Amino acid sequence: MSRILITGGNTGLGFEAAKRLLAIGHTLYITSRDPERGRLAAAELGCDFLVMDVTNDASVRQALTHYRSLADSLDVLINNAGIPGDRRPIETVDAALLETVFATNVFGAVRVTQAFLPLLQRSDNPVIVNVSSGVGSFTKQTDQETLESKVISPAYASSKAALSMLTLQYAKALPNMRINAADPGPTNTGGNFNRGAQSVTEGTEAVVRLATLDQNGPTGTFQDKNGLLGW
Ligand SMILES: NC(=O)c1ccc[n+]([C@@H]2O[C@H](COP(=O)([O-])OP(=O)(O)OC[C@H]3O[C@@H](n4cnc5c(N)ncnc54)[C@H](OP(=O)(O)O)[C@@H]3O)[C@@H](O)[C@H]2O)c1
């Protein structure tokens, strides 16, 4: 059984993924940027929680120190924390919006990965799952048959495209690990303004599958609930 850390585990897809992974016997550590939301979620799940704002170096360092007091290795890191950003008329999309969205969705994932990498390297089966999005897929955005091709959300879409590329880069640089990107698909959570058609169970299929890969599992892939996706 694995020790699994999931960022933004206090609600939405992160909470559901934690619940499902706990139910099959893994040891879960959720993170929350808000201590009270984290405490309540962890109490409901029955797991440990760490306070962590992924946009803040000191906060991630403190969370790492806290984690080290609980365990000396980590098997699975799920970079789930993310924000949608505003959907605005393109004329008002500015660098500040992109900086805000990238701060969480891209730089946050890199910050947490770098901090926890030494602990992952102590695992016999280190795994990273980056929760990306089909909205950030060039394949889906250019296929008129997909819902994602109808979405114009430059900050969010480009942040997830960047996270997917980072997944591929880390996978190539760290071939001893299984490092993959997951697309939950449009799911009914606060992060999707409660507009997604899918349940959180469907939305966590790919995350749970990729978090539970064995040493022979794939790395450097992008997957949704049905399997492989085009980048
Ligand atoms: N729902 C969908 O349709 C969908 C589709 C594709 C991809 N995704 C991705 O799936 C992931 C989870 O989304 P969700 O739908 O479950 O959204 P959600 O319900 O809004 O949950 C997002 C989680 O991320 C946390 N978070 C946000 N900013 C953070 C920060 N700076 N530091 C630490 N934690 C932070 C939130 O904390 P607070 O509770 O404090 O805000 C919350 O726990 C995201 O990466 C999202 O982009 C979602």
Side-chain angles (χ1 to χ4, degrees):
M1 287 298 120
S2 301
R3 292 182 197 280
I4 303 177
L5 179 74
I6 178 157
T7 65
N10 57 286
T11 188
L13 292 163
F15 182 86
E16 178 67 13
K19 190 157 81 172
R20 292 182 63 180
L21 290 162
L22 273 162
I24 53 173
H26 298 290
T27 302
L28 260 291
Y29 305 84
I30 61 163
T31 83
S32 171
R33 59 180 162 175
D34 179 85
E36 188 56 12
R37 285 199 289 273
R39 189 186 67 73
L40 288 172
E44 190 177 338
L45 289 166
C47 69
D48 283 310
F49 84 100
L50 316 171
V51 177
M52 186 202 282
D53 180 339
V54 302
T55 66
N56 183 295
D57 279 331
S59 173
V60 173
R61 271 200 306 274
Q62 277 167 16
L64 177 63
T65 302
H66 184 181
Y67 183 85
R68 283 185 191 276
S69 74
L70 302 171
D72 57 9
S73 69
L74 177 65
D75 301 304
V76 181
L77 169 63
I78 304 177
N79 284 309
N80 165 76
I83 56 171
D86 302 340
R87 286 204 190 156
R88 303 182 188 170
I90 198 78
E91 295 79 6
T92 68
V93 169
D94 56 10
L97 173 64
L98 265 77
E99 280 172 1
T100 301
V101 175
F102 272 62
T104 301
N105 295 2
V106 184
F107 310 142
V110 171
R111 182 176 288 108
V112 176
T113 301
Q114 192 193 11
F116 283 87
L117 210 46
L119 290 172
L120 283 163
Q121 279 162 335
R122 290 194 190 168
S123 168
D124 294 335
N125 181 24
V127 169
I128 299 175
V129 182
N130 289 328
V131 183
S132 186
S133 170
V135 172
S137 157
F138 290 90
T139 304
K140 284 199 162 189
Q141 280 279 351
T142 54
D143 175 354
Q144 299 309 312
E145 300 298 310
T146 67
L147 274 179
E148 288 81 357
S149 70
K150 315 294 179 231
V151 177
I152 301 177
S153 182
Y156 182 75
S158 60
S159 74
K160 292 299 186 179
L163 182 61
S164 293
M165 178 53 80
L166 282 164
T167 306
L168 203 43
Q169 293 293 308
Y170 276 87
K172 290 203 268 187
L174 298 165
N176 63 317
M177 299 191 183
R178 273 134 305 285
I179 304 179
N180 295 285
D183 170 23
T187 309
N188 191 20
T189 64
N192 197 11
F193 309 105
N194 295 107
R195 286 194 302 233
Q198 292 187 143
S199 67
V200 286
T201 311
E202 292 168 284
T204 50
E205 279 300 314
V207 173
V208 169
R209 187 174 68 243
L210 292 172
T212 52
L213 292 174
D214 65 23
Q215 274 117 330
N216 300 315
T219 190
T221 70
F222 187 18
Q223 301 196 21
D224 70 4
K225 65 180 178 192
N226 300 315
L228 286 179
L229 264 191
W231 293 102

